[in-house]
Amino acid sequence: MGAEQLAARRLRSLSYDFRNFSIGDFSAWVEKSLGRKIYSFPWVMPPGLFGAWLSDGEQPAEYIFYRSNAETIHQIHIQLHEISHILLGHPTLKITKQMLSRSWTGKANLPFGDLVLLRSDKVTQYEIEAETLTNMIQEQVLRHAELRRLTEGISANSDIAMYLRDLGMVE
């Protein structure tokens, strides 16, 4: 199965309503869907790395790290990309709370470099799949935002408003 088909199937399986998207709301939806907590941290990332995802080896939790000095829109894209890896079931490394705590205080580094080694045989395919799903999510966000803008104020025409409600395009 190609990256587009895989991403489209995974996106449909989420059944997420993109009409009022926010990164926090979407992350919470994914948490509920997977039964795993997702924590996102702005982080000073190593050169050449914009984001990373690590799993908690002790509890059902996922940690997303994104470049703290990136523009806000890029930070959201990075988080969506890492969530896409999670949704697609890609491999990642497991860390502990102790490792996270030590890295937070500067006593140790998180194993970001080891992620590349973990995925080395399929790194390109995993990245294509995650980026494809990320793009599909962003397309949904933009499509629904545009629909909202197009349909605001149409309530004066009750026939059109009812038709769009029947299609599920507006509430």
Side-chain angles (χ1 to χ4, degrees), residues 19 150-171:
R19 286 180 281 198
L150 286 172
T151 57
E152 285 175 352
I154 62 155
S155 58
N157 186 329
S158 61
D159 290 337
I160 293 174
M162 188 163 41
Y163 176 72
L164 291 173
R165 263 193 303 280
D166 290 344
L167 290 175
M169 297 172 76
V170 294
E171 293 181 351

Side-chain angles (χ1 to χ4, degrees), residues 34-107:
L34 300 177
R36 298 182 67 77
K37 186 74 178 143
I38 298 174
Y39 299 97
S40 291
F41 300 100
W43 205 262
V44 177
M45 301 300 289
L49 189 64
F50 291 94
W53 154 54
L54 301 168
S55 266
D56 192 303
E58 300 169 326
Q59 63 181 9
E62 308 299 335
Y63 302 110
I64 293 173
F65 303 90
Y66 58 92
R67 186 175 288 268
S68 59
N69 63 348
E71 294 294 328
T72 303
I73 189 95
H74 193 199
Q75 289 179 354
I76 292 169
H77 177 88
I78 295 165
Q79 290 173 75
L80 287 173
H81 180 91
E82 299 307 328
I83 289 171
S84 292
H85 279 299
I86 295 168
L87 288 170
L88 293 166
H90 292 164
T92 193
L93 297 174
K94 301 220 182 289
I95 62 171
T96 63
K97 284 184 194 173
Q98 183 183 19
M99 291 170 72
L100 185 59
S101 175
R102 289 179 50 75
S103 66
W104 198 268
T105 59
K107 296 177 183 168

